[in-house]
Amino acid sequence: MSFTIVEQTTPRLNRCELSVPGSRPEMFEKAAASAADVIFLDLEDAVAPDDKEQARKNIIQALHDVDWGDKTISVRINGLDTHYCYRDVVDVMEQGGERLDLIMIPKAGNAKDIYAIDMMVTQIEAAVGRKKRIGFEMIIETALGMANVDEIAAASPRNESLHFGVADYAASTKARTTQIGGPNPAYAVLTDPLDDGSRATHWGDMWHYAVARMVVAARANGLRPIDGPFGDFSDPDGFAAQASRAAVLGCEGKWAIHPKQIPLANEVFTPSLAEVDKARRILVAMEEAQKSGSGAVALDGRLIDIASVRQAEALVAQADAISNG
Ligand code: GLV
Ligand code: MG
């Protein structure tokens, strides 16, 4: 291990993060009763400019009136390039009460963006005497944000998670797609011809680099990496496949932009019984190996060593957090 210890952020379940427009208060109760671990009430892109003020009021009222149970509640403020942003922070922080857990900062471009919001939040927290410290979620969804993802991740002790905002990221990088997430048939590899002249097309994942890059920045700073939206809510298999790719790369959860996507995300991001069982067997096998003085051992015909223990411990810790959550 490095001499530098990575401090882990406040632990929270974050398998499914449901997005709910602040302009649709009729959806709040249903969201509160859903199986999502985290809900973000949106003031940004799901809310039309004329509705922003009312959405703010709806959210403030709902933070007091709705029974959110044990969910983590976040509010997505508007970007720092808009005049809505300061008022979102001031009103929600001053009037939202103690129930709010997190603020989601969209289109984070660099550490200064986070610093600016931190300054406001810190002042208001002190002024209103809040007992619970607000955490930050940052959406990485611009070329600038991805270029500066490491400094964004390290910008504040309030930081808890990085989210991949695939729609704005595609717009910012001028990627040739108009869908929200998922694969693109134009991003494919054509194999060389076989003897019979046949060739196969293998679709690739055009988001692989972005998600993997964000995961590294998040984990190097003790934050949770979370995959963002998948727009086609009529395609559960496509959603699950995208979520699985993100999970394999290290993400802890994914957004749901429709209630139908909640059970899909929960299923993908809850380690299966078989995975947990295997991890526990690795821990037992390595404990026995260490007692007998060896650093590596075979289990089911495969080598396991001390690194396998760390992988297994992370998986078991995640499973325990889910069953205790
Ligand atoms: C989310 O905000 C996105 O742009 O995908
Ligand atoms: Mg966005």
Side-chain angles (χ1 to χ4, degrees), residues 3 25 36 71 119 139 165 170 179 204 210 216 224 258 281 301 303 306:
F3 189 54
K71 294 200 183 323
M119 184 272 285
I139 316 183
Q179 60 187 31
V216 170
R224 290 182 293 280
H258 189 283
R281 288 198 304 122
L303 178 84
I306 311 280

Side-chain angles (χ1 to χ4, degrees), residues 42-249:
D42 194 12
L43 287 170
E44 201 220 14
D45 281 356
V47 178
D50 287 351
D51 297 336
K52 298 263 189 209
E53 254 180 61
Q54 185 57 45
R56 223 182 260 138
K57 289 185 187 142
N58 297 340
I59 288 175
I60 289 165
Q61 192 178 345
L63 285 170
H64 292 282
D65 295 352
V66 173
D67 177 2
W68 299 102
D70 57 2
K71 294 200 183 323
T72 294
I73 303 298
S74 180
V75 170
R76 177 163 77 167
I77 59 174
N78 284 280
L80 283 91
D81 58 327
T82 73
H83 66 79
Y84 304 113
C85 178
Y86 85 96
R87 183 53 64 198
D88 291 345
V89 176
V90 171
D91 284 3
V92 169
M93 285 294 301
E94 280 187 353
Q95 301 165 38
E98 287 285 332
R99 188 56 189 82
L100 182 66
D101 299 293
L102 305 169
I103 283 182
M104 178 181 262
I105 305 172
K107 300 179 184 69
N110 53 36
K112 287 181 285 186
D113 286 345
I114 315 308
Y115 190 80
I117 303 295
D118 198 354
M119 184 272 285
M120 282 201 280
V121 165
T122 301
Q123 289 193 12
I124 302 169
E125 236 173 33
V128 300
R130 267 187 72 98
K131 291 178 207 69
K132 198 167 73 181
R133 183 172 83 165
I134 288 287
F136 288 165
E137 318 183 273
M138 278 75 53
I139 316 183
I140 305 302
E141 53 181 342
T142 61
L144 183 66
M146 192 58 84
N148 293 322
V149 66
D150 296 318
E151 66 169 55
I152 291 170
S156 167
R158 295 181 188 275
N159 288 358
E160 291 202 10
S161 54
L162 298 183
H163 299 243
F164 179 52
V166 66
D168 274 303
Y169 185 76
S172 171
T173 54
K174 302 198 193 310
R176 289 182 56 184
T177 178
T178 49
Q179 60 187 31
I180 300 182
N184 185 319
Y187 193 83
V189 174
L190 188 61
T191 62
D192 283 350
L194 297 176
D195 289 346
D196 65 1
S198 64
R199 306 182 79 175
T201 301
H202 294 294
W203 289 35
D205 180 359
M206 65 187 286
W207 311 115
H208 174 84
Y209 165 77
V211 175
R213 182 70 188 85
M214 182 192 79
V215 167
V216 170
R219 294 298 187 196
N221 288 279
L223 312 184
R224 290 182 293 280
I226 306 293
D227 194 24
F230 184 85
D232 186 354
F233 55 79
S234 316
D235 181 6
D237 294 343
F239 177 95
Q242 171 75 57
S244 296
R245 289 195 298 276
V248 167
L249 289 177

